[in-house]
Amino acid sequence: MHDDPAALGLRESATFDRATIAAIQRAAETGVYDIRGWGAKRRVPHFDDLLFLGASMSRYPLEGYRERCDTDVVLGDRHATRPLRLATPVTIAGMSFGALSAQAKEALGRGASEAGTSTTTGDGGMTPEERGHSKTLVYQYLPSRYGMNPDDLRRADAIEVVLGQGAKPGGGGMLLGQKITDRVAAMRTLPPGIDQRSACRHPDWTGPDDLEIKIRELREITDWEKPIYVKVGATRTYYDVKLAAKAGADVIVVDGMQGGTAATQEVFIEHVGIPTLAALPQAVRALQEEGLHRRVQLVVSGGVRNGADLAKCMALGADAVAIGTAALIALGDNHPKWDAEYRKLGSAAGYFDDYQDGRDPAGISTQDEELAARLDPVEGGRRVANLIRVMTMEAQTIARACGKAHLRNLEPEDLVALTVESAAMARVPLAGTDWIPGTGR
Amino acid sequence: MAPVTEIDLRSASVRELNGALHRAEPGTSWRVLHPGGAHNLAVGLDAAVDVVIDGHAGYYCAGMNQHATVTVHGNVGVGVAENMMSGTVRVRGSASQSAGATAHGGLLVIDGDASARCGISMKGVDIVVGGDVGHMSAFMGQAGRLVVCGDAGDALGDSLYEARIYVQGRVRSLGADCVEKEMGPEHLAELAMLLKAAGRDDDPAGFRRYGSARRLYHFTTGNSY
């Protein structure tokens, strides 16, 4: 019998592919929908569908490795007296202690600090390990308010009001009982071991008019020192960004549908929200129309993996990016050395997404002490810092080739699209043409 | 008696008020005149100061309070004492939505009525409402006690965790997973203590107790809410 059915002339259905068949069979057997981690796995238009136009006759490049190409960024100088000053526009996205081990959170803080950038708490509050190892820490203000307290608010370097995330806009959160240890439960004021819901709506404000008052409250509590971010999952991005800016945000974070999660329904991850590529130009246009582009900084996340993605985000008008899944991979997530253990869990290196189960062999998305102890926070921090450095240098390489002395000088004019869809979403011309679908040009 | 520092919001800004209160020494007393329903009054206090607000306050009055005693001689807007950690907040009038939202500790007393979602996601605070509370009160309440001396609106205690609810009047309806529970001697004693702390003389024997049935603590195919 041949191992490859296709070689025998058998034909797999494009509509009912193997993953779809397995999902139907699983649903039929269990009667429960699938919950998993990671982000959208389906193919959507993404930054790979864009290319840079390096300098040639009509543009003047900068010398690689030698001529200066700066990467620093200031976030939150619209209203805050202490804006963040970062050495690189690559930041670490919000991920909770609870979803991640304390070691993983510490490693992310170490990596971000070494690279001169910020990291972010998550749903569940701020841990001493994270604060202690994060030079610049953004404190998330979420609907659940788990662990929220004014002391940590004052200890934070910035505050991020979270309305949603790209993996599940409108969905709140969940953390399954196997990860609700005594420590996690105590931080969230919940009974240990229960399947925990994180609210999908903020408990004390509704809509942009209320948000404006809420932002002012947070500023008053922290004496107007801290930058206030507003994070939205990418859906009606143009309107969300306008409203967030009008509500007084210093920084707006837009998280596309490829953004990761620790535990969400598969149907939610794959079918709600829009791609990062589609959201980013909407956000920029919204800010430009308000006269606030660059005054309100824009951070983009959701499938940002490398320096090319960073450079493309910057060229489309972002001020910075946030990485989540890429940072976990840098820590060791899905590393081939754990393949045998992934297979025992019914997965494999490169496929593992069962962050919700808490049995992560890499010790990252777990609260099991033995598994978590596998992750060395110092080594993990070094790896994360290395990734951020590489991403930054890759983006510099591209920026210099486009003749830009600062990453933020990259512009849409430096880009073309490979597909009609990506040209329409990114609002840059289809390669080899001057056609931008949907603009009348 | 220590002198009372007065701040008149006809001339001072909310920023000046909060800045002064953040720098205030423990044991000092403050009086806020002509608040005019302004938002974010006396937020983020972190010392055992005494603050009297002489009139109506807007959103988030006494938000995130720690240690301080704040008394409002008037009504308050949305989210009074939201996320309070400790101290006491007393509203002589009525409160809008989300009173005491997510508060971790301290005592919130509302002499009048409280609107919808009173005690939403409460995490350890004690709330005593002299009048009625609106719908979805104590929604997803995690810890602490909510005492309602009047009536409760629809969906009381929806998706409740471990917060305890006492109601003297009529409950229009209970929310998902909220059930009436037996009133034992320990509950009567707890309720008596809370009523006393709030300065009320209601008879604990006239109250009913509500709590979580804990049927939503684990996702199952039966979670059909």
Side-chain angles (χ1 to χ4, degrees):
Chain A
M1 182 72 182
H2 203 287
D3 285 341
D4 180 9
L8 300 174
L10 299 175
R11 182 171 176 179
E12 185 176 8
S13 168
T15 305
F16 289 87
D17 61 14
R18 274 170 282 181
T20 302
I21 289 170
I24 292 170
Q25 289 168 340
R26 199 202 62 79
E29 285 161 16
T30 65
V32 182
Y33 52 56
D34 188 24
I35 295 171
R36 67 168 173 86
W38 199 272
K41 290 189 164 183
R42 63 156 66 199
R43 165 98 176 100
V44 294
H46 196 40
F47 298 119
D48 288 339
D49 300 318
L50 302 180
L51 293 172
F52 277 99
L53 300 175
S56 57
M57 187 75 81
S58 62
R59 298 290 185 278
Y60 195 76
L62 299 182
E63 201 61 61
Y65 302 108
R66 294 171 187 273
E67 286 190 281
R68 189 163 174 167
C69 178
D70 290 331
T71 63
D72 60 299
V73 61
V74 177
L75 298 178
D77 59 351
R78 182 186 185 192
H79 296 298
T81 58
R82 294 186 183 177
L84 305 190
R85 300 180 189 283
L86 308 180
T88 169
V90 182
T91 66
I92 304 288
M95 292 174 273
S96 76
F97 168 67
L100 302 188
S101 64
Q103 287 88 335
K105 291 297 287 177
E106 179 182 331
L108 293 172
R110 286 176 177 274
S113 299
E114 187 179 329
T117 190
S118 62
T119 188
T120 311
T121 66
D123 202 359
M126 182 190 292
T127 65
E129 295 97 318
E130 185 174 30
R131 176 64 277 188
H133 293 97
S134 304
K135 181 172 178 291
T136 306
L137 182 60
V138 181
Y139 185 30
Q140 286 195 326
Y141 188 78
L142 292 121
S144 74
R145 311 279 167 87
Y146 290 141
M148 172 53 55
N149 68 83
D151 294 331
D152 285 342
L153 210 59
R154 287 184 275 262
R155 269 192 279 269
D157 298 294
I159 299 160
E160 182 171 293
V161 179
V162 179
L163 276 75
Q165 65 185 87
K168 47 182 169 178
M174 58 176 67
L175 192 65
L176 299 186
Q178 51 269 44
K179 294 173 83 170
I180 309 285
T181 61
D182 289 347
R183 184 182 181 196
V184 172
M187 282 183 67
R188 299 179 185 221
T189 323
L190 287 169
I194 69 163
D195 293 333
Q196 167 253 288
R197 271 290 305 172
S198 294
C200 64
R201 300 185 298 266
H202 277 268
D204 56 354
W205 64 270
T206 309
D209 295 337
D210 285 5
L211 176 58
E212 182 176 356
I213 305 169
K214 172 54 71 177
I215 287 174
R216 290 184 76 91
E217 184 205 10
L218 295 171
R219 291 195 194 285
E220 285 292 326
I221 290 170
T222 54
D223 292 318
W224 290 71
E225 291 178 352
K226 322 283 183 188
I228 309 284
Y229 295 27
V230 172
K231 177 177 179 177
V232 293
T235 54
R236 298 173 181 86
T237 305
Y238 171 76
Y239 298 103
D240 289 345
V241 168
K242 278 207 166 191
L243 293 169
K246 285 186 170 181
D250 295 307
V251 177
I252 297 173
V253 182
V254 175
D255 189 26
M257 70 177 288
Q258 302 98 313
T261 173
T264 300
Q265 298 92 334
E266 155 96 6
V267 70
F268 215 140
I269 298 171
E270 297 288 355
H271 297 279
V272 183
I274 63 172
T276 309
L277 182 65
L280 169 51
Q282 287 191 51
V284 172
R285 183 162 61 95
L287 290 173
Q288 287 171 335
E289 288 178 4
E290 296 301 315
L292 291 171
H293 187 223
R294 304 299 186 198
R295 274 192 66 207
V296 171
Q297 286 82 35
L298 180 63
V299 179
V300 173
S301 56
V304 177
R305 306 153 296 178
N306 50 44
D309 291 350
L310 166 61
K312 290 167 186 175
C313 287
M314 301 294 283
L316 290 173
D319 295 279
V321 302
I323 57 169
T325 302
L328 300 189
I329 293 169
L331 284 181
D333 175 60
N334 272 291
H335 196 285
K337 72 181 177 183
W338 304 117
D339 188 59
E341 295 199 45
Y342 287 134
R343 288 181 185 277
K344 288 179 193 167
L345 298 172
S347 188
Y351 296 83
F352 181 69
D353 58 17
D354 289 325
Y355 299 159
Q356 79 288 349
D357 276 346
R359 293 181 292 167
D360 182 355
I364 298 167
S365 59
T366 184
Q367 294 300 315
D368 181 285
E369 289 184 8
E370 287 186 20
L371 292 174
R374 294 177 175 183
L375 180 66
D376 176 359
V378 176
E379 170 62 10
R382 187 188 67 80
R383 294 171 62 94
V384 170
N386 277 345
L387 173 65
I388 295 170
R389 278 193 284 262
V390 168
M391 288 179 67
T392 306
M393 289 189 289
E394 287 176 339
Q396 284 174 300
T397 300
I398 290 171
R400 286 193 182 97
C402 293
K404 304 299 195 296
H406 198 293
L407 290 185
R408 70 168 160 265
N409 294 346
L410 286 163
E411 53 194 322
E413 195 270 341
D414 293 316
L415 290 169
V416 293
L418 282 170
T419 66
V420 174
E421 289 86 352
S422 57
M425 290 180 185
R427 293 163 200 259
V428 299
L430 189 64
T433 78
D434 57 1
W435 181 42
I436 303 176
T439 62
R441 284 194 282 154
Chain B
M1 186 172 169
V4 176
T5 304
E6 292 189 345
I7 295 185
D8 191 333
L9 289 184
R10 285 180 306 187
S11 53
S13 66
V14 171
R15 177 79 290 266
E16 289 167 332
L17 167 68
N18 287 324
L21 293 175
H22 292 175
R23 294 187 296 271
E25 291 295 324
T28 54
S29 296
W30 301 74
R31 191 171 198 91
V32 182
L33 303 174
H34 303 103
H39 304 309
N40 304 322
L41 299 181
V43 297
L45 305 193
D46 192 22
V49 296
D50 188 78
V51 180
V52 173
I53 297 174
D54 221 355
H56 304 311
Y59 280 43
Y60 310 131
C61 179
M64 296 215 186
N65 185 51
Q66 286 174 296
H67 311 298
T69 298
V70 179
T71 305
V72 183
H73 289 287
N75 301 321
V76 292
V78 171
V80 61
E82 66 86 17
N83 215 85
M84 176 163 60
M85 306 302 292
S86 60
T88 301
V89 175
R90 180 163 208 135
V91 179
R92 294 294 185 186
S94 291
S96 183
Q97 302 182 62
S98 304
T102 76
H104 288 70
L107 173 66
L108 169 62
V109 181
I110 297 162
D111 289 345
D113 300 323
S115 184
R117 303 176 192 87
C118 177
I120 183 172
S121 294
M122 53 195 289
K123 301 179 192 324
V125 68
D126 291 324
I127 304 175
V128 180
V129 180
D132 303 337
V133 296
H135 64 270
M136 301 289 277
S137 287
F139 177 54
M140 295 181 91
Q142 296 170 225
R145 286 81 59 103
L146 171 63
V147 178
V148 182
C149 299
D151 299 335
D154 274 322
L156 177 71
D158 195 287
S159 305
L160 200 63
Y161 290 103
E162 293 297 313
R164 293 197 288 279
I165 306 172
Y166 298 97
V167 182
Q168 183 166 232
R170 178 170 162 262
V171 174
R172 195 174 176 89
S173 68
L174 295 175
D177 210 31
C178 182
V179 294
E180 183 174 349
K181 295 195 167 184
E182 183 188 350
M183 192 75 143
E186 71 275 28
H187 305 115
L188 287 167
E190 174 178 86
L191 178 56
M193 180 272 292
L194 292 166
L195 290 166
K196 185 180 177 191
R200 299 192 61 87
D201 58 5
D202 306 75
D203 179 4
F207 285 72
R208 292 180 170 195
R209 181 170 76 96
Y210 303 89
S212 175
R214 304 186 179 98
R215 289 187 300 256
L216 295 179
Y217 277 15
H218 295 281
F219 294 125
T220 71
T221 53
N223 289 168
S224 56
Y225 289 110

